[in-house]
Amino acid sequence: MRFIEPHIHMVSRTTDDYQAMALAGIRTVSEPAFWAGFDRGSAQGFRDYFNQLTMTERARAALYGVKHHCWICLNPKEAEDLTLAREVLAIIPEFLDRPSVLGIGEIGLNKNSRNELTVLEEHLALAEQRGELVLVHTPHLEDKLKGTRLIIDAIRNFKGITPDRVLIDHAEEHTAGVIRDAGFWLGLTLYPTSKCSPARAIDLLETHGTDRVWLNSAADWGISDPLATVKASEEMRRRGHPEALIEKVFFDNPRAFLSQSPKFSV
Amino acid sequence: MVQSTCPQLATDILDRSFLENRARLLEVAAFLDRIDRSREPEAGRADFRYRACQDALQLLASASGERAKALQLLLSDHSPEPRVSAKGLKGAAGAWKERR
Ligand SMILES: [Zn+2]
């Protein structure tokens, strides 16, 4: 079966993950820009990271038969320092035109602060102005519901951004309906302890439907699993869901959302 | 009446997942016992996370349908306004400290 992994942080993974993913049928990935586990000290640090995403990682993936795409932004965990955030926002347009960049992401909120919201709005203004696709990170655990609501309110203020060009990721039982009702694409993340298990993610598909939704591993430098989507597809199969529906969730849906960027291909 | 959306037989779900969930229940019980046997257990029982755990157990015993959603709501920050600053804050605790 063919898979698209639409949200994974390959810069934090080893090369044998690429081998395992290709063997399992994951030959197309999209990698949002994120937090490295420490705060970068300067805009130059982000420039290096954006070069890594758009050039080094793409080339490394290609060696193992995986097509690599990415998203560019300053992630919300580093948005509290407005001066640095604005220096980074100023260099982002240089990277958005690169051949593998699909849009702006993963932007959003982390601790739901005023500065995070300001930086989110400045990214949204850039997305609106350039007509970019948007990939949104929602906060963790107790912050998720409030953050999801604040993010949706913020996006609605940008009339040039239509909900069908925005995917709001890391949804769980209490936010999936909120995101769906507002007309956005929905992302479910298979991540141990802090997000969905394969079983809960498939429960959410059964209760919210399989339209305009993708599943991802968000695998990164934490305890996480680059084959999580493959394991979730097995859970769906074991429950008796038809093959065509499984293919829709793990291949057709992410392809439909990502293909809104002409730079995406499988 | 909860709508039927899972194609599996209920007894098949039990066959496949009862033992796994029995083990999870035992982990919760042992976790609470461990706090009872710990040093300064009162400080643990007064902690917002312990109280959230107690309320969660009550919720599971009383609710029917959408238990997972109800549990998520119980553990969520329901304040409407953005936080003044996130300086020095990165992670999340898993329960809302200000919940009464
Ligand atoms: Zn991510």
Side-chain angles (χ1 to χ4, degrees):
Chain A
M1 191 186 134
R2 297 180 300 173
F3 291 83
I4 295 170
E5 168 54 87
H7 186 147
I8 188 162
H9 301 289
M10 292 308 299
V11 299
S12 305
R13 309 296 313 187
T14 56
T15 301
D16 41 333
D17 286 335
Y18 275 123
Q19 283 186 317
M21 288 163 71
L23 277 171
I26 307 172
R27 293 186 170 272
T28 310
V29 302
S30 109
E31 172 158 5
F34 87 138
W35 188 55
F38 65 96
D39 290 353
R40 295 162 179 98
S42 67
Q44 188 57 44
F46 283 90
R47 187 186 288 280
D48 290 343
Y49 174 48
F50 298 155
N51 276 321
Q52 182 184 17
L53 284 175
T54 53
M55 296 194 298
T56 319
E57 203 53 45
R58 182 171 164 78
R60 184 166 75 118
L63 285 176
Y64 296 89
V66 176
K67 182 125 197 201
H68 184 276
H69 309 79
C70 68
W71 304 71
I72 298 291
C73 77
L74 172 104
N75 69 87
K77 276 197 173 132
E78 286 172 278
E80 199 56 30
D81 179 347
L82 278 184
T83 309
L84 177 59
R86 286 180 174 139
E87 285 171 20
V88 177
L89 270 153
I91 64 167
I92 285 174
E94 291 173 38
F95 293 90
L96 291 174
D97 287 325
R98 291 204 172 168
S100 62
V101 179
L102 302 178
I104 295 182
E106 54 184 309
I107 54 171
L109 297 173
N110 181 51
K111 294 305 290 180
N112 302 326
S113 77
R114 288 179 190 168
N115 283 3
E116 289 173 12
L117 205 49
T118 299
V119 173
L120 168 64
E121 287 164 348
E122 293 181 14
H123 277 99
L124 290 170
L126 184 62
E128 182 181 53
Q129 178 207 324
R130 295 181 44 107
E132 299 285 349
L133 286 178
V134 175
L135 176 51
V136 177
H137 162 97
T138 52
H140 305 278
L141 306 174
E142 75 272 19
D143 299 314
K144 186 178 296 291
L145 178 69
K146 174 176 173 175
T148 302
R149 288 176 173 153
L150 288 169
I151 288 164
I152 289 174
D153 289 346
I155 298 171
R156 280 179 169 153
N157 288 330
F158 291 85
K159 302 293 175 218
I161 300 177
T162 54
D164 55 319
R165 292 181 57 84
V166 179
L167 186 136
I168 302 185
D169 218 331
H170 314 321
E172 292 180 55
E173 290 85 352
H174 54 326
T175 56
V178 179
I179 295 165
R180 265 248 191 283
D181 293 348
F184 297 99
W185 277 75
L186 180 73
L188 303 174
T189 299
L190 305 155
Y191 201 95
T193 313
S194 64
K195 294 185 179 74
C196 282
S197 61
R200 281 174 49 220
I202 306 310
D203 290 338
L204 281 166
L205 294 180
E206 288 171 351
T207 49
H208 290 270
T210 55
D211 290 337
R212 288 155 72 102
V213 58
W214 78 25
L215 270 67
N216 61 77
S217 70
D220 57 8
W221 40 261
I223 295 171
S224 48
D225 181 2
L227 300 183
T229 51
V230 181
K231 292 170 187 172
S233 76
E234 270 308 299
E235 172 72 20
M236 230 179 136
R237 190 169 288 117
R238 224 178 279 143
R239 291 190 191 186
H241 291 289
E243 284 303 312
L245 196 66
I246 301 172
E247 175 116 358
K248 175 188 173 188
V249 167
F250 293 94
F251 188 82
D252 299 343
N253 282 358
R255 182 172 61 177
F257 180 76
L258 297 169
S259 293
Q260 294 183 87
S261 163
K263 292 188 245 172
F264 179 78
S265 65
V266 293
Chain B
M1 186 63 188
V2 177
Q3 213 196 330
S4 172
T5 52
C6 179
Q8 285 180 292
L9 282 172
T11 46
D12 287 347
I13 298 175
L14 284 161
D15 288 346
R16 200 179 129 213
S17 304
F18 172 70
L19 283 180
E20 183 186 324
N21 285 291
R22 174 186 184 276
R24 287 185 177 129
L25 290 169
L26 280 168
E27 286 297 333
V28 174
F31 163 67
L32 296 173
D33 288 347
R34 202 173 307 132
I35 289 174
D36 287 343
R37 292 185 292 103
S38 66
R39 292 167 47 222
E40 301 181 14
E42 287 314 318
R45 289 187 203 110
D47 190 286
F48 71 102
R49 291 165 296 184
Y50 186 91
R51 287 186 279 114
C53 218
Q54 296 285 3
D55 293 346
L57 290 169
Q58 283 202 354
L59 183 149
L60 292 187
S62 60
S64 71
E66 300 215 304
R67 291 174 188 84
K69 181 180 178 182
L71 188 51
Q72 294 273 23
L73 291 173
L74 184 142
L75 297 171
S76 292
D77 176 351
H78 290 271
S79 65
E81 293 302 320
R83 198 186 293 272
V84 174
S85 168
K87 215 174 168 72
L89 302 175
K90 284 281 193 239
W96 186 31
K97 206 168 186 172
E98 277 93 77
R99 189 178 67 93
R100 273 167 298 169

